[in-house]
Amino acid sequence: MAAIAAADRADHGYDGDAWSARLDDAFSTLFETEVQALWVASGTAANSIALACLCPPYGGVIAHEEAHIVVDECGAPGFFTHGATLMPLPGVGAKLTPDSVRDRLKTIRPDVHQVPARAISITNATEYGLVYAPEEAHDLGLHMDGARFANAVAHLGCAPADLTWRAGVNALSFGCVKNGGMIGEALLFFGAQAQDRAAEARRWRKRSGHLFSKGRYLATQLLAMIEDGLWLRNASAANAAARALAKGAGNRLMHPVEANELFVRLSAQEAATLRAQGFDFYDWGEGAARLVTNWSQDVAAVAPLAAALARL
């Protein structure tokens, strides 16, 4: 909020301001390579614009069947790509594996009658809070939905570069809002085609109505997040709170806790008991709940819920 207030003065519009001009260098420093960085309004916009730059309308995007782009973006990837096909695959914990991708590719004939795969989209951390390690990559155009990218880096303790361009990622949707930002995300491009793809993405951003006239308010949030390590401190706090809840949940956990999301088994009566004590959470199908810790919480903040889970 202090960074936003500091940007509240006259400057060039759209992305011609001093803050937007610093994004490339700031993210290049963070990722240890030349990066093309754009601010965009939302994670859905970042994901969809990235895929539009990686996949033609006649192509396909391989993704997990529970990925955000498949389940929760109202067809936006198809809208932005002008018709590219999503190719959903199953996988434990919402993770794709190299073997499952290779098996899917083998089923596609190399003729004009079938949709050719042109990109893969993975989510790190996944919709079930699991984290991809650097060696789990592939050689198609690779997009990473990093709404919780900070949580994945905090969990692994590795360099951001190790999870992205060093592992073959071409485009990253770098999460900001879920990690403490007010509005806006970053879309990053890596590699030899980064400049051309970023130029294309700028046109997609304008065409889709996501070019803010006062983009400096988005840019300054991103700079405040990454220039002094705030993004990683926030994610580490959320991860620590999730681990504290996991200890209370015990054998109720449905998946390992590797980021800031927990999925726990709860009967209807147990869920009602927790809600009667003042707790609230998402029901996740029948007999389960989804708990998500955030950047502003610490172990003490979630201790009451951890204790209530342990008492069940």
Side-chain angles (χ1 to χ4, degrees):
M1 295 303 293
I4 294 170
D8 191 24
R9 59 180 173 82
D11 204 298
H12 296 288
Y14 304 104
D15 60 357
D17 59 90
W19 294 271
S20 297
R22 286 167 50 198
L23 289 179
D24 287 354
D25 285 345
F27 277 104
S28 295
T29 298
L30 181 64
F31 284 88
E32 306 174 64
T33 191
E34 185 175 342
V35 174
Q36 295 288 313
L38 295 75
W39 46 255
V40 291
S42 68
T44 295
N47 292 339
S48 300
I49 291 173
L51 294 175
C53 294
L54 294 176
C55 185
Y58 59 80
V61 178
I62 293 176
H64 192 274
E65 62 188 7
E66 294 185 75
H68 208 268
I69 63 168
V70 175
V71 177
D72 291 304
E73 294 188 347
C74 197
F79 176 78
F80 275 75
T81 61
H82 290 188
T85 301
L86 295 180
M87 299 175 162
L89 295 177
V92 176
K95 288 183 74 173
L96 296 179
T97 67
D99 285 344
S100 68
V101 173
R102 278 190 285 266
D103 289 345
R104 180 66 178 91
L105 292 174
K106 289 176 183 176
T107 69
I108 302 172
R109 298 194 312 267
D111 59 44
V112 297
H113 299 285
Q114 293 198 320
V115 174
R118 287 291 184 264
I120 301 173
S121 181
I122 62 174
T123 309
N124 205 9
T126 75
E127 285 70 22
Y128 284 99
L130 301 188
V131 171
Y132 283 95
E135 62 272 13
E136 299 175 86
H138 206 274
D139 60 358
L140 291 183
L142 185 56
H143 163 253
M144 179 178 286
D145 179 346
R148 303 183 194 280
F149 179 75
N151 303 95
V153 173
H155 169 72
L156 292 173
C158 64
D162 293 337
L163 286 187
T164 52
W165 62 273
R166 286 180 184 148
V169 172
N170 305 113
L172 169 68
S173 303
F174 182 92
C176 179
V177 172
K178 283 186 170 68
N179 201 25
M182 191 175 101
I183 187 174
E185 314 283 352
L187 174 53
L188 312 181
F189 292 97
F190 308 97
Q193 299 181 60
Q195 199 162 13
D196 290 342
R197 284 170 171 157
E200 187 176 351
R202 287 184 173 92
R203 293 192 178 276
W204 279 115
R205 182 175 62 178
K206 174 60 179 177
R207 179 178 170 84
S208 60
H210 287 97
L211 181 61
F212 287 13
S213 59
K214 295 182 179 179
R216 63 183 184 273
Y217 292 116
L218 280 69
T220 192
Q221 292 177 73
L222 293 164
L223 293 170
M225 191 69 78
I226 67 171
E227 287 190 325
D228 71 348
L230 178 63
W231 72 289
L232 208 51
R233 294 196 300 275
N234 283 357
S236 296
N239 286 7
R243 289 194 297 271
L245 281 180
K247 187 175 180 179
N251 60 12
R252 294 177 180 276
L253 290 176
M254 300 169 63
H255 302 281
V257 177
E258 297 179 349
N260 67 326
E261 296 176 278
L262 302 88
F263 296 82
V264 297
R265 296 180 183 87
L266 292 176
S267 68
Q269 181 56 51
E270 289 169 336
T273 297
L274 291 176
R275 289 190 167 107
Q277 296 174 52
F279 301 110
D280 196 16
F281 44 85
Y282 283 114
D283 292 316
W284 199 257
E286 186 175 350
R290 176 180 184 253
L291 310 176
V292 183
T293 56
N294 72 48
W295 60 275
S296 68
Q297 296 169 323
D298 56 19
V299 173
V302 301
L305 179 54
L309 285 168
R311 286 195 301 267
L312 287 176

